Structures are given as C-alpha cells and as structure tokens.
C-alpha cells in the first residue's frame, strides 16, 4: 500500500516536470483546429486566447441599457444564495441555489443597487439559459466556435471555452494529475430557501443520494485537516473582457467574478481516450488507498 501511495505522489510531480506549465499561457489569437488539438486539447492543458471573439457585437452592446431594451420584459431563471456560492458545501450539506423566476429588468435593478434584496443573484443555468431563455441575444454572439467544433468530433465529458464579455473572472485551476492530493467527501444534497424574515434556510432534498464533493475552500484551505493538499500546485489566472479561457476536461476549478460580470460558455464533449483511462486509474487508486 505504501508503494502505491508513493507512485500516486509521483504522478503529479512527473506531470509538472514533463508537460504542465507553471502559469496559464496566453495565445494572441485562435489557432488552426489541428494545431489547437495538438498543442492544447491533446496534452490537456489550459490557455487564455486573446482576440478570439473580437467581432462579437456583445462586447460593445451588452450593457444594462441595451439589455433592458432587448430582453427586459423576459422572465428568466435566477440562482439565489446567501453568500454567492452556487452548488457548494455548507457545513455537512451540499447546497444548491434557490431558483427564482423574474424579469431581466428586475435582475438588473438588483445588480445595479436600485432594489435591495437579501442574497446574491446569479444567472448560471448550465443547460443554456442563453439560447433557451434569451434567444433574442444569440445574434450578438456565435452559436459555436468554428475552430473548436472542427477540432472536436467525439463525445463525452466537457471541454470548456469561457468567453468573458464584461468584467473579469478569477480562476484557480488544478490539473487532473493532482487528484491524489484533493480530498472528496459525501454530502447530503440540499437547497437554499428564503424565509419570511429575510434569512436563508437550508432544506434537505428528500430521498436523494449523497453527492461526492471537495470539502476544502481553495481560498483558505485547512491544511491541518487536509495536509496532502499542500502538495498541489494550483494555477491562478484572471480572464478579462474580450479574452477566452480554454479549460480542459477533467481539470478541477474554482471561479470568482467581478460584480456584474457577463460571460458565455461553450461546452464541447471530450474524447474518451487514453488520458481518461489514466485519470480513472488514478481516481480508483486514490479512493482505494485513502489519505496520502
């Protein structure tokens, strides 16, 4: 068992020595599909791409005035939490946001401080709230990224292109090879719910299976409880307006954003290739041997 633990400790060290970067590199523009696949998708490495969507009208149009005129009366799904953490651990629960329906103008009133409300409001639905709830805005962006669509033709799990329209996003990224140092625990799923007194309560999701989730806060990790996390090598990067982050499949990530930030994501299904097999092996061995 000790020999297996030692091998798992060496996997991320060798990955950093062989191919991983110390920082997230910048590209000055998109690459050809073949070159991007060869240099970034195949090696499973993140990068930030500048000038990748500079022709999008959204970069100049998407401000509160335009959005009110275009979609102000539309009802949309809005996630609400007391602390801004959506789908996150709170104590011994994995807590999901309260979901509300409201007009886009009502959301903008809250974001701009014109209306005071308890909680943090965030449009974050992953099943394409842009195309399904706000199709009026799709003409201001591309419906897909042509060179990425051509580079990826196989299916499952997600490669992510993160396009920031305004504001900025701050990422903490951890490669899949750091999995031996990243703890997981099982949590009862629950949902936030606003009470009449303006405070939030946590309501358990009845008859739900427990959710495996990372228990530590990467902004303030508890090294006494999770000492192996000291061995990780997080990559920190800030993606600004007009920039695109390629976030590879299988990478762990934590995201913060500036107030009122707007971003559009494009998810592409990854290939089930040998890197997925290797990750599954590392995952299984880590679960089998426990703490390193």
């Amino acid at each position: 068992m000790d020999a297996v633990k030692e091998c798992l400790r060496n996997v991320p060290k060798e990955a950093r020595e062989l191919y991983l970067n110390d920082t997230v590199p910048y590209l000055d523009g998109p690459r050809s599909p073949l070159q991007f696949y060869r240099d970034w998708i195949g090696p499973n490495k993140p990068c930030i791409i500048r000038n990748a969507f500079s022709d999008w009208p959204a970069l100049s149009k998407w401000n509160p005035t335009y959005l009110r005129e275009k979609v102000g009366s539309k009802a949309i799904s809005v996630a609400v939490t007391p602390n801004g953490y959506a789908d996150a651990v709170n104590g011994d629960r994995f807590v999901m946001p309260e979901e509300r329906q409201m007009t886009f103008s009502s959301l903008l009133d809250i974001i701009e401080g014109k209306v005071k409300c308890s909680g943090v409001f965030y449009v974050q639905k992953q099943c394409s709230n842009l195309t399904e709830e706000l199709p009026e805005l799709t003409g201001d962006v591309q419906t897909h990224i042509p060179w990425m669509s051509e580079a990826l033709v196989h299916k499952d799990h997600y490669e992510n292109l993160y396009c920031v329209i305004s504001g900025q996003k701050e990422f903490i990224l951890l490669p899949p090879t750091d999995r031996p140092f990243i703890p997981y625990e099982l949590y009862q799923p629950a949902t936030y719910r606003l009470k009449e007194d303006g405070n939030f309560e946590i309501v358990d999701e009845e008859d739900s299976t427990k959710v495996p989730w990372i228990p530590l806060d990467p902004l303030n990790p508890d090294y006494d409880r999770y000492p192996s996390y000291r061995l990780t090598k997080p990559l920190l990067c800030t993606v600004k307006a007009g920039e695109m982050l390629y976030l590879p499949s299988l990478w762990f990530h934590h995201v913060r954003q500036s107030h009122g930030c707007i971003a559009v994501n494009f998810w592409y299904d990854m290939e089930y290739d040998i890197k997925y097999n290797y990750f599954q092996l590392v995952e299984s061995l880590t679960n089998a041997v426990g703490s390193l």
Side-chain angles (χ1 to χ4, degrees):
M1 193 67 73
D2 288 340
V4 174
K5 288 184 177 182
E6 184 63 23
C7 289
L8 287 171
R9 291 190 190 99
N10 287 333
V11 167
K13 178 182 176 182
E14 292 173 352
R16 289 191 287 269
E17 290 175 349
L18 290 172
Y19 71 96
L20 288 177
N21 299 306
D22 293 329
T23 59
V24 179
Y26 284 86
L27 307 182
D28 58 8
R31 299 295 188 258
S32 69
L34 178 61
Q35 185 178 8
F36 193 77
Y37 189 93
R38 181 192 64 199
D39 294 344
W40 304 101
I41 299 172
N44 196 235
K45 299 194 300 183
C47 62
I48 296 174
I49 310 163
R50 293 174 169 145
N51 306 307
F53 55 101
S54 54
D55 58 339
W56 286 11
L59 286 169
S60 59
K61 284 185 174 182
W62 283 12
N63 56 57
T65 300
Y66 174 81
L67 293 173
R68 284 182 192 277
E69 293 175 353
K70 194 78 172 178
V71 293
S73 62
K74 291 293 295 284
I76 58 170
S77 303
V78 179
V80 186
T81 65
N83 51 20
Y85 285 94
D87 299 342
V89 170
N90 186 332
D92 61 351
R93 295 292 189 268
F94 174 75
V95 192
M96 294 165 283
E98 179 181 17
E99 189 170 290
R100 299 184 196 170
Q101 292 289 313
M102 64 175 61
T103 65
F104 205 98
S105 285
S106 298
L107 174 64
L108 289 174
D109 287 341
I110 296 170
I111 292 174
E112 294 181 299
K114 296 177 180 178
V115 173
K116 300 298 182 182
C117 287
S118 298
V120 178
F121 290 68
Y122 186 38
V123 179
Q124 58 106 43
K125 202 170 183 178
Q126 290 195 357
C127 295
S128 196
N129 54 293
L130 177 61
T131 57
E132 294 186 8
E133 295 188 334
L134 298 167
E136 296 88 349
L137 297 177
T138 55
D140 296 335
V141 300
Q142 288 177 296
T143 56
H144 73 111
I145 306 299
W147 48 269
M148 189 66 165
S149 298
E150 188 175 340
L152 291 167
V153 294
H154 291 81
K155 302 291 181 186
D156 239 312
H157 281 342
Y158 295 119
E159 310 280 1
N160 192 347
L161 291 178
Y162 213 110
C163 306
V164 177
I165 305 296
S166 64
Q168 63 183 37
K169 296 268 187 177
E170 296 177 1
F171 288 82
I172 299 174
L173 306 178
L174 288 164
T177 46
D178 274 359
R179 172 63 183 91
F181 310 138
I182 298 173
Y184 269 84
E185 294 178 7
L186 292 174
Y187 293 92
Q188 167 66 41
T191 304
Y192 285 115
R193 185 169 65 191
L194 185 66
K195 299 189 295 183
E196 291 184 1
D197 63 5
N199 294 314
F200 284 85
E201 63 179 344
I202 295 175
V203 181
D204 284 349
E205 297 286 333
E206 300 295 337
D207 302 321
S208 297
T209 57
K210 290 193 173 183
V211 176
W213 206 257
I214 299 170
L216 61 78
D217 180 356
L219 299 174
N220 186 28
D222 186 345
Y223 293 121
D224 292 333
R225 186 175 178 184
Y226 307 107
S228 294
Y229 190 73
R230 290 183 181 276
L231 299 175
T232 65
K233 296 290 185 181
L235 299 181
L236 311 179
C237 67
T238 299
V239 185
K240 300 178 181 179
E243 296 179 343
M244 172 191 291
L245 171 67
Y246 166 56
L247 179 55
S249 59
L250 306 177
W251 278 63
F252 303 92
H253 54 280
H254 176 278
V255 190
R256 292 187 296 171
Q257 67 180 30
S258 60
H259 180 72
C261 176
I262 301 176
V264 176
N265 284 66
F266 294 86
W267 282 279
Y268 290 86
D269 295 334
M270 71 166 278
E271 292 188 19
Y272 269 143
D273 55 12
I274 194 169
K275 65 176 176 285
Y276 179 78
N277 293 126
Y278 282 142
F279 177 78
Q280 289 296 95
L281 175 62
V282 172
E283 174 92 2
S284 299
L285 290 173
T286 300
N287 291 333
V289 303
S291 175
L292 298 182

